[in-house]
Amino acid sequence: MVPLLFLLAVVPGLRAQTGDNVLLVVNRNDPVSRAIADYYRPRRSIPAGNVCYLDTTSDEDISWQTYVEQIERPVGACLQKAGLQEKVLYLVTTLGVPLRVDGVGGSIFTSEHCSVDSELALLYSKQKGVQVPRPGGVPTPSS
């Protein structure tokens, strides 16, 4: 009974996530990407300031240099410009944004191949000055 009362006391303080916590990443060069964003944004109540438009290729596979120059830096700039670094919890990419970053092969533990969304998940840490090695896995931060 006590745990139930505790849970009921805490629940009103919990806040659901909203569109304010989302950065929608759109490829301006891809008409399908723009159409998806136009459909998705109002239905999820994502503020217009939480949309990051990229000028990149719609190829699924890209080089590391293309990723850094056309995706990582612009997304980081969108977050900083709008003051969203501490507010955005979700990065949503639309169809038309590249999926994979090509790299040197090797074993599963030393490969430099990666996915765009996995690399973007590391962006917050990189903006905070954490050095992330390119090859291999990235350990989960301990709390």
Side-chain angles (χ1 to χ4, degrees):
M1 184 66 161
V2 172
L4 179 62
L5 291 174
F6 176 75
L7 181 61
L8 291 174
V10 172
V11 168
L14 297 177
R15 190 175 131 250
Q17 303 305 316
T18 68
D20 292 331
N21 304 110
V22 174
L23 182 72
L24 184 60
V25 181
V26 182
N27 184 355
R28 187 186 333 258
N29 297 333
D30 187 290
V32 174
S33 183
R34 292 191 320 267
I36 290 170
D38 291 343
Y39 177 85
Y40 183 83
R41 189 189 69 74
R43 284 163 182 77
R44 296 292 183 227
S45 301
I46 298 171
N50 286 39
V51 180
C52 182
Y53 290 96
L54 305 177
D55 292 308
T56 190
T57 179
S58 56
D59 293 341
E60 289 188 356
D61 296 295
I62 57 174
S63 69
W64 180 255
Q65 181 177 351
T66 300
Y67 166 74
V68 171
E69 293 173 2
Q70 297 180 13
I71 297 176
E72 184 177 274
R73 285 186 190 146
V75 170
C78 284
L79 289 167
Q80 289 178 343
K81 181 179 177 185
L84 298 173
Q85 300 98 320
E86 301 297 328
K87 193 173 188 180
V88 166
L89 303 175
Y90 309 100
L91 297 174
V92 177
T93 59
T94 59
L95 180 69
V97 173
L99 299 175
R100 291 177 297 274
V101 181
D102 200 11
V104 179
S107 75
I108 192 169
F109 299 108
T110 61
S111 177
E112 292 184 13
H113 296 279
C114 57
S115 66
V116 168
D117 60 342
S118 293
E119 288 300 315
L120 285 175
L122 298 171
L123 185 57
Y124 178 81
S125 295
K126 289 179 179 180
Q127 288 187 323
K128 294 294 184 179
V130 174
Q131 296 294 318
V132 179
R134 185 141 177 248
V138 176
T140 303
S142 53
S143 44

